[in-house]
Amino acid sequence: MSDDPGLGRGPDRRGVLAGAGASALAAFAGAALRVAEAQAQTPPPQGETFAADHVRKLAQELAARDFAKPRVDLPEPFNALTAQQYRDIRFRSEAAVWRGEGLGYEIQLLPLGWLYETPVEIWVVEGGNARLLRADSASFSIGPAIEKAPDTAPFAFSGFRVVGHLDNIETMNEFVSFQGASYFKAVGRQQQYGLSARGLAVNTARPVGEEFPVFRAFWIVKPAAAAGDIVIHALLDSESIAGAYRFTIRPGRATEIEVDTVLFPRRSLNHVGIAPLTSMYFHGPGQGRIERDYRPAVHNSEGLAVINGHGERLWRPLSNPKMLQTSAFVDKDLKGFGFVQRERSFFGFEDLEARYDRRPTVWIEPQESWGDGYVELIEIPISEEIHDNIVAYWKPAKSLEPGRRYKFSYRMSWGDEVPAVWSGASVVKTQVGAGRAPDTTLFVVDFAGPAVRDAREMPVAELNVTSGTTSGLSVQRHPEIQGFRVKFELNAAGTDLVELRLCLKLAGQLISENWLYRWTRA
């Protein structure tokens, strides 16, 4: 199920994007914020009371004081583990939380070390009480790459993964993982891990430098037997902001995650990304910048899809640019956005190991009005596919101010396609090549879907460019996809950047997505 079990495609890939009331609550807060508990020789605290608003109160309390990064003092070699040493720390499957209880879910824990330097507390909640887990030899075996490891090793956790009956009732499969900063990832049935999500993005691709919030503690609520979902609470923290998160996760053909968050800024924040997604695009038929690769495409996601507040559907093919570039899709009352993998044939990738054809599409659907703002897309050049280089999130128009709380709720779908039903035509493939005349580029864009499947009349292609000239615009039937193919050539006329927009119309009515493309001089 996972192409990177336990290790996650962690911060090495993501590094390209940067680097209480009552006394009972006070006691709970103190325990929740002490990483040292993970090293204690005595059993972890038992019977701490947990209520639905505890994490929110902890986040509010955190925001009222200066940020202190979670840390734990580690002996050698645990303070500087190599990749080989980290891989030699193996979780004991028999130590999985709820093993043998027949709940349909188990929690497997991930150790601190190597790239994962931030310790996290993990609590299990049952019957309104929270129990803090401890990382030691009872949960992990340590191989020969690490000599003379003490029984208290590996000292702390870096995250966890959840397994359950995803593919069938007979087997347990991993379907969601939380590890590294505020990163998490999920898969639907018969899929492999691909892109990741984050709790929050702060100052991404900004001159001041990106800030990476961390989930410093988790509370995993024990589900009832055969429950359809599992609930996880998380406490987010960083230099500028604290927050409380509630994840309701439903594994299935498409795994759904409902996210409810309350944010408490420590300072004024002008550039915050809500529901951030991080993916990888190396090359594909829509951009042939990478040569000498036998594979026709290498990417976790091939396009950014947006449904704006007017119901208009946008499709922006992703790219691996020569220079960092950003794009903003201004909107009000956004309906949804996400990174999409539309190519589902093995032959579209020809990679037996990576199986990019099985990477999930992730769709974000706000559960209330998010008002004014924009979806920001960031594309970063990479020379190897091991790096994530594509980011998208919702950027509110107004800054987040200290002393206030901000609530956001959204539903995530991790599956094969965008879950929003539509009767129009979608872009199936974008292909780019050399035009007939010197210094021209040929574009071939295929559309398919209910609106054109049985169309008797030929639709009209409407094409607009910000500069340069186009020629040879044509529309022809494409029987292999029961749709239409649009072809045209672009002459950039000496400019270095051209924005293109293409759609199909029938009887004057829009029947397709709006295809958006940014051409840049190679």
Side-chain angles (χ1 to χ4, degrees), residues 8 34 129 345 366 396 450:
R34 290 195 306 269
N129 292 321
S345 167

Side-chain angles (χ1 to χ4, degrees), residues 191-232:
Q191 290 186 327
Q192 291 185 192
Y193 278 137
L195 72 164
S196 300
R198 283 189 280 169
L200 197 68
V202 179
N203 293 330
T204 303
R206 291 292 151 319
V208 296
E210 184 164 6
E211 179 178 312
F212 285 87
V214 301
F215 285 135
R216 61 187 306 153
F218 293 93
W219 292 260
I220 306 171
V221 181
K222 183 177 182 178
D229 58 40
I230 183 169
V231 175
I232 298 169

Side-chain angles (χ1 to χ4, degrees), residues 121-135:
E121 293 186 354
I122 299 176
W123 300 73
V124 175
V125 179
E126 181 178 2
N129 292 321
R131 173 174 59 90
L132 181 63
L133 302 182
R134 187 173 64 194

